[in-house]
Amino acid sequence: MAVTVAARGTRTAGIAKILRERKPLALGAALLLIIVILCVFAPVFAPYDPNKLSIANRLIAPGADHLFGTDEFGRDVFTRAIYAGRTSLMIGATATIFASVIGIALGLVAGFFRRTDVVIARVIDAMMAFPDILLAIALVAALGPSAATVIVALGIVYTPRLARIVRASTFVIRELPYVEAARALGVPTWRILYRHVLRNLLSVIMVQATFIFAYAMLAEASLTFLGVGVSPDIPTWGTMISAGRQYVGQADWMTVFPGLAIILSVMSLQLVGDGLRDLLDPRLRKDL
């Protein structure tokens, strides 16, 4: 028990030291944690019902009663912003998981098995030739607008990004002596891929996943703003901005605050991604 407590204390002290030395990483992690807590525990922090209409209170400017003001139906913008964050974060996280699972599988197969590389590499290149937002619009239009199809579309769009990185890294790891030794000893291929290849790619995957998360949230907001994303009945930061554009001249807070939520979320993910990249790069962590 004493050893476990000491180990936990050492680990906590190590994490605290890293956060002190990597201030951008600490700032991004703290900001992201605050946003996630606000969104996940929205019923605790929300002062009003997000869907309750109050025409008498429509388009009230930010103040003591309504921190972020009200929208065209008298709904509290702060309440809707933190509830909308749930959906936006869920879509971004799920699309990232989707892209990571498929991208890792394709990258490992293409990088480890030479015969499959030509086909998979050409598919990856073909998909990356299309602009992200145009490919996402085409996929959502083909599948039909809904939260599920947005997740699938964004997952497909960002799969090549991770697959390409995993493929390139697998090329290098495949030729290393310990992988050749494992082959010579007759270790099963699946075990080599898991223990010797995938585990050495975790740092690269983690960093890239944070960037994909940020890109997916931006893409979701863009799709919804263009009217081909999530249904307007489902509150997301993108739907809030889309609804508020009609009232920019008289109630700019309807678009400003959801826009700030997107900016802060994406910025925090970028800071975490950059911090993890610097932290996990052996050339940059000699002082740790």
Side-chain angles (χ1 to χ4, degrees):
M1 178 66 72
V3 175
T4 303
V5 172
R8 288 178 180 175
T10 302
R11 191 180 302 114
T12 303
I15 294 173
K17 179 175 181 291
I18 290 171
L19 293 177
R20 284 197 305 270
E21 294 178 351
R22 310 279 178 173
K23 289 183 174 56
L25 174 60
L27 175 62
L31 186 57
L32 183 61
L33 181 62
I34 292 172
I35 293 171
V36 170
I37 290 175
L38 279 174
C39 295
V40 171
F41 299 100
V44 177
F45 298 102
Y48 301 96
D49 184 332
N51 297 314
K52 184 178 180 180
L53 306 182
S54 179
I55 302 302
N57 295 321
R58 67 189 301 270
L59 302 180
I60 294 178
D65 293 333
H66 299 281
L67 191 61
F68 289 177
T70 61
D71 63 10
E72 73 275 26
F73 297 114
R75 298 171 297 190
D76 184 65
V77 174
F78 174 75
T79 298
R80 287 183 62 79
I82 58 177
Y83 272 94
R86 281 179 158 187
T87 308
S88 295
L89 290 172
M90 182 273 294
I91 290 175
T94 309
T96 301
I97 293 172
F98 183 99
S100 298
V101 171
I102 306 301
I104 290 170
L106 290 176
L108 285 176
V109 172
F112 199 82
F113 302 102
R114 297 179 186 275
R115 293 181 180 178
T116 62
D117 179 51
V118 176
V119 176
I120 295 177
R122 296 296 76 77
V123 172
I124 292 173
D125 292 339
M127 293 180 66
M128 294 194 71
F130 290 93
D132 295 344
I133 192 66
L134 291 182
L135 182 57
I137 290 174
L139 291 171
V140 172
L143 298 173
S146 70
T149 54
V150 169
I151 291 171
V152 172
L154 294 179
I156 293 173
V157 167
Y158 293 114
T159 289
R161 290 178 178 267
L162 194 55
R164 197 171 189 178
I165 292 174
V166 172
R167 170 180 169 269
S169 300
T170 303
F171 274 143
V172 177
I173 297 175
R174 182 185 63 187
E175 305 300 332
L176 294 178
Y178 63 84
V179 174
E180 294 181 356
R183 284 174 166 177
L185 292 171
V187 178
T189 301
W190 69 266
R191 191 175 180 85
I192 294 175
L193 286 172
Y194 172 70
R195 291 184 61 89
H196 300 298
V197 180
L198 182 59
R199 291 176 66 175
N200 283 290
L201 295 175
L202 287 180
S203 60
V204 176
I205 293 169
M206 287 173 56
V207 172
Q208 191 63 25
T210 60
F211 295 140
I212 291 176
F213 196 163
Y215 299 150
M217 291 183 64
L218 282 174
E220 180 275 322
S222 301
L223 290 173
T224 305
F225 183 80
L226 294 172
V228 294
V230 179
S231 170
D233 299 334
I234 302 175
T236 69
W237 290 328
T239 57
M240 292 181 69
I241 293 174
S242 179
R245 63 181 171 175
Q246 303 177 29
Y247 301 90
V248 171
Q250 56 182 325
D252 55 359
W253 55 84
M254 289 178 59
T255 56
V256 168
F257 290 112
L260 283 176
I262 294 174
I263 291 171
L264 291 175
S265 299
V266 171
M267 184 181 71
S268 65
L269 286 166
Q270 294 284 356
L271 288 173
V272 170
D274 288 338
L276 287 175
R277 181 188 59 199
D278 296 343
L279 180 64
L280 298 173
D281 190 334
R283 296 168 297 181
L284 302 175
R285 59 176 181 176
K286 294 178 181 178
D287 58 330
L288 298 181

